[in-house]
């Protein structure tokens, strides 16, 4: 190790693991966007169009 | 291959999504979801089903974050114990920094979601719960006092209260009653496991002052009995605070009597296979007991059984 970073590429297995983790993170972020969107709609409730600005 | 292994080890990224999921302590998380759901349903008033789902999700993620932060901090002692040596951090699958970052991100995210989307009081209580579990229990008292399980029990008792506050926005006596049930249940449950599985040597090696290690098994049996005898009347508090009705009360009295019977057996039968068997039976029954006690609240709501008028609060 010598305390220095190497520049060698990641192995195929490492890359596959990283890709899967990235996918899970993307799904989690997408889920959070959906969570905020639906919650906003629910909290607005009915009759949004009739409300005064 | 030496180079690639070194690179991955340096920058992280060796852990699978499953390793990170394991950091959340999924089994504890499922118990948290169940007890928080009971708090949510038992609370007076109501909550929109979607908001209830958001609250449960945030509480579950907050509990998972606490699990990840606990595994980050306790990696040194986890590595010394058979039961925990294969956890993601001590096994090397996840770097300590990764576990810390993961836990902090989820902790902050879950508190913000609960506070902003549900209500601020619930968010604040979830933040306090995570703080209590990590700082007060994991970092401070777990390695300092043989009553560590009692402190840890308090952390585990907060979720139904957070669920309750998600509905009402305030801490009422009814939520305190649910808190006290889990708080008083944890010591006899865990100490029965410690005596049965003989995991004392593990904790002793790791320098964690568990009660059976420090005070011996006789004192632990005495404490199991004391906590059980206090737990029994505590389980009737939800009926006095107007949270539950006749079905819960009758069934709980019956369940309490069986619990006390098992605790007395553990206190009296101390040696040999029979003594071990008594501890094993208490451990398994206490697990079922907690599930039934909380499930009874849900059953009463589902059947529309009215709660008793509140005597307290």
């Amino acid at each position: 190790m010598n305390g220095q970073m190497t520049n060698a590429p990641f192995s195929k297995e490492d890359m596959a693991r990283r890709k899967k983790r990235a996918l899970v993170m993307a799904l989690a972020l997408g889920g959070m966007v959906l969570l905020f969107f639906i919650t906003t709609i629910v909290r607005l409730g009915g009759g949004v169009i009739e409300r005064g600005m | 291959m030496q180079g690639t292994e070194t690179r991955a080890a340096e920058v992280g990224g060796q852990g699978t999504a499953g390793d990170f999921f394991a950091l959340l302590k999924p089994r504890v998380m499922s118990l948290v979801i169940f007890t928080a759901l009971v708090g949510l349903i038992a609370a007076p008033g109501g909550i929109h089903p979607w908001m209830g789902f958001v609250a449960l999700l945030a509480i579950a993620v907050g509990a998972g974050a606490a699990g990840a932060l606990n595994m980050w901090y306790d990696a040194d002692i986890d590595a010394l114990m058979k039961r925990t040596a294969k956890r993601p951090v001590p096994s090397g699958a996840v770097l300590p920094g990764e576990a810390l970052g993961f836990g902090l991100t989820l902790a902050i995210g879950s508190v913000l979601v609960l506070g902003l989307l549900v209500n601020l009081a619930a968010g604040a209580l979830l933040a306090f719960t995570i703080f209590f579990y990590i700082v007060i229990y994991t970092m401070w008292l777990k390695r300092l006092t043989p009553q560590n399980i009692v402190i840890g029990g308090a952390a585990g008792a907060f979720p139904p209260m957070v669920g309750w506050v998600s509905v009402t926005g305030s801490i009422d006596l009814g939520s305190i009653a649910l808190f006290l049930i889990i708080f008083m249940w944890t010591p006899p449950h865990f100490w029965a496991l410690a005596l049965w599985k003989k995991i004392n040597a593990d904790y002793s090696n790791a320098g964690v002052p568990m009660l059976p290690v420090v005070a011996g098994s006789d004192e632990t049996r005495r404490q199991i009995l004391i906590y059980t005898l206090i737990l029994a009347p505590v389980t009737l508090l939800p009926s006095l605070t107007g949270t539950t009705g006749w079905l819960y009360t009758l069934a709980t009295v019956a369940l309490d009597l069986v619990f006390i019977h098992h605790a007395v057996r553990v206190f009296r039968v101390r040696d040999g296979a029979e003594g071990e068997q008594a501890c094993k039976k208490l451990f398994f029954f206490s697990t079922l007991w907690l599930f039934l006690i909380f499930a009874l609240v849900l059953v009463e709501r589902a059947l529309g059984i009215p709660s008793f008028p509140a005597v307290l609060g």
Side-chain angles (χ1 to χ4, degrees):
Chain A
M1 293 271 282
N2 297 328
Q4 289 188 344
M5 295 279 278
T6 58
N7 288 320
F10 287 101
S11 69
K12 272 186 181 173
E13 293 78 21
D14 282 337
M15 283 307 290
R17 276 197 291 264
R18 291 172 77 87
K19 268 187 183 171
K20 197 172 173 192
R21 280 169 48 177
L23 183 71
V24 172
M25 276 192 278
L27 286 173
L29 279 174
M32 210 158 127
V33 170
L34 206 63
L35 189 82
F36 273 79
F37 177 72
I38 297 176
T39 304
T40 305
I41 300 296
V42 167
R43 292 195 83 156
L44 279 173
V48 175
I49 295 171
E50 284 79 31
R51 285 184 194 177
M53 292 299 282
Chain B
M1 285 303 286
Q2 183 66 38
T4 55
E5 281 169 18
T6 306
R7 177 107 194 263
E10 279 171 352
V11 300
Q14 285 186 311
T16 62
D19 290 323
F20 281 85
F21 186 65
L23 282 178
L24 303 177
K25 297 192 177 179
R27 278 170 64 190
V28 175
M29 216 169 163
S30 60
L31 182 66
V32 165
I33 292 171
F34 175 63
T35 56
L37 172 71
V38 172
L40 211 73
I41 302 285
I47 188 168
H48 188 286
W50 175 259
M51 299 312 294
F53 166 75
V54 173
L56 279 183
L57 186 70
I59 295 168
V61 173
L69 291 171
N70 170 273
M71 284 202 208
W72 158 71
Y73 190 81
D74 273 351
D76 58 337
I77 56 175
D78 281 350
L80 300 174
M81 299 193 285
K82 257 186 260 168
R83 191 172 64 88
T84 51
K86 287 181 182 165
R87 284 179 172 174
V89 182
S91 71
V94 174
L95 296 176
E98 289 179 309
L100 175 63
F102 183 62
L104 282 178
T105 305
L106 292 185
I108 294 167
S110 62
V111 167
L112 283 179
V113 165
L114 193 62
L116 294 176
L117 299 188
V118 180
N119 69 56
L120 282 177
L125 190 59
L126 181 64
F128 178 74
T129 303
I130 297 170
F131 169 81
F132 188 91
Y133 184 64
I134 299 305
V135 178
I136 308 289
Y137 171 66
T138 305
M139 293 182 173
W140 183 25
L141 294 173
K142 181 177 177 180
R143 303 180 191 209
L144 201 68
T145 164
Q147 291 294 320
N148 45 19
I149 287 303
V150 180
I151 317 294
F158 277 115
M161 197 183 247
V162 183
W164 182 292
V165 175
S166 297
V167 177
T168 63
S170 61
I171 296 171
D172 313 309
L173 276 181
S175 66
I176 294 173
L178 296 179
F179 170 90
L180 285 175
I181 291 173
I182 302 183
F183 177 62
M184 298 307 299
W185 164 85
T186 308
H189 169 77
F190 192 84
W191 286 332
L193 173 72
L195 290 175
W196 165 45
K197 284 276 191 183
K198 297 190 174 67
I199 50 180
N200 300 342
D202 250 8
Y203 280 106
S204 194
N205 289 340
V208 180
M210 297 297 288
L211 187 69
V213 176
V214 176
S217 74
D218 284 355
E219 175 60 18
T220 306
R221 286 165 201 270
R222 197 175 73 89
Q223 298 255 355
I224 285 176
L225 187 59
I226 291 171
Y227 273 95
T228 305
L229 292 175
I230 300 172
L231 173 64
V234 164
T235 53
L236 298 177
L237 284 177
S239 299
L240 299 175
T241 56
T243 305
T244 51
W246 66 266
L247 178 65
Y248 171 91
T249 309
L250 287 179
T252 295
V253 168
L255 286 166
D256 285 347
L257 289 175
V258 181
F259 201 129
I260 292 169
H261 163 76
H262 284 298
V264 169
R265 287 271 307 161
V266 166
F267 182 70
R268 283 191 174 160
V269 187
R270 302 184 175 200
D271 302 317
E274 259 192 278
E276 210 171 280
Q277 195 66 12
C279 295
K280 182 181 171 182
K281 279 185 179 168
L282 175 61
F283 171 73
F284 280 113
F285 179 75
S286 64
T287 309
L288 177 69
W289 179 93
L290 186 72
F291 171 74
L292 291 175
I293 293 278
F294 274 76
L296 277 165
V297 180
L298 297 181
V299 170
E300 278 204 340
R301 289 292 189 277
L303 296 177
I305 294 172
S307 302
F308 290 132
V311 179
L312 300 173

